[in-house]
Amino acid sequence: MKEATRTRVEKAIAEVGFVRQAGPAREAAHWRRSGHATWIFTPAATGWYPKKAPAEAHPVPVTGGPFPGVPVRGRGASQRAEACWMPIKDRLTRHGLRHGHRTLMEELGTPRVLMDERMGHDDGSVGARYAHVTDSMRALLMEQLTEVWHASLDDRLALAPRSPVRVLDRLLQERATEA
């Protein structure tokens, strides 16, 4: 990694208050084999680790800080924990988020070829051979997604001007000063 890139990454890590998790230093070769859905996404969405014999499903034990807490792992984790994660949203799934993203792109009028690329789909039809993603397609989608993002920040700001999540709080404060 180039030194300038390393410096930018370290600065971003410091700004968002990233805390490295204990465990393997690299992701699996493919996300489906990484355990991300089972051991990271699902616990974050539901607040529960799934059943894995001989252990039953159990709440995610976490440290008290930094917010929202860091999962405590290993033997006796629940005794060492200071809190447990609460669910983000019932029935929230990674696959459901893919459906939501696809639906949003449909609403924005995104060309099918760009939607397929973003979703990781391979369209083998004859028509797909003649359609190609262009830089202007990507730029327009990014503008549209940015507008949706700003609207969501405005909606969140209307609910409450602050957040205990550092990165969200910073984004809300920046958005409030822009308005």
Side-chain angles (χ1 to χ4, degrees):
M1 183 182 302
K2 293 182 180 177
E3 189 58 35
T5 303
R6 181 181 306 283
T7 302
R8 284 197 328 269
V9 169
E10 288 172 353
K11 181 180 177 196
I13 287 170
E15 284 178 5
V16 300
F18 175 77
V19 178
R20 184 179 298 276
Q21 298 294 315
R26 66 178 188 84
E27 289 290 324
H30 190 274
W31 68 266
R32 287 187 181 140
R33 290 181 280 167
S34 70
H36 181 267
T38 304
W39 301 109
I40 298 173
F41 182 84
T42 299
T46 65
W48 287 77
Y49 281 122
K51 177 181 178 176
K52 182 177 179 186
E56 292 297 316
H58 58 281
V60 177
V62 295
T63 62
F67 185 86
V70 176
V72 179
R73 301 198 187 271
R75 283 209 167 96
S78 59
Q79 288 80 29
R80 295 190 321 270
E82 300 163 307
C84 288
W85 275 347
M86 295 298 292
I88 294 172
K89 177 90 172 126
D90 287 341
R91 298 182 308 279
L92 177 66
T93 66
R94 289 174 58 150
H95 193 75
L97 293 176
R98 286 177 55 83
H99 281 257
H101 183 57
R102 175 65 183 243
T103 301
L104 176 59
M105 288 191 293
E106 292 275 358
E107 288 178 355
L108 295 173
T110 305
R112 183 177 178 99
V113 66
L114 180 56
M115 286 192 285
D116 286 343
E117 180 186 86
R118 286 184 64 87
M119 301 298 289
H121 296 165
D122 187 24
D123 184 357
S125 70
V126 172
R129 293 181 182 270
Y130 296 100
H132 303 284
V133 175
T134 64
D135 291 340
S136 61
M137 286 178 189
R138 285 190 185 102
L140 177 60
L141 179 59
M142 291 311 299
E143 287 174 23
Q144 292 170 323
L145 291 174
T146 300
E147 288 175 20
V148 170
W149 170 247
H150 286 157
S152 68
L153 280 178
D154 292 341
D155 291 346
R156 173 57 175 80
L157 197 54
L159 290 172
R162 303 302 302 241
S163 171
V165 179
R166 264 191 291 181
V167 68
L168 178 57
D169 190 56
R170 189 187 72 200
L171 290 166
L172 291 171
Q173 296 313 299
E174 289 171 3
R175 191 72 183 152
T177 58
E178 290 173 9

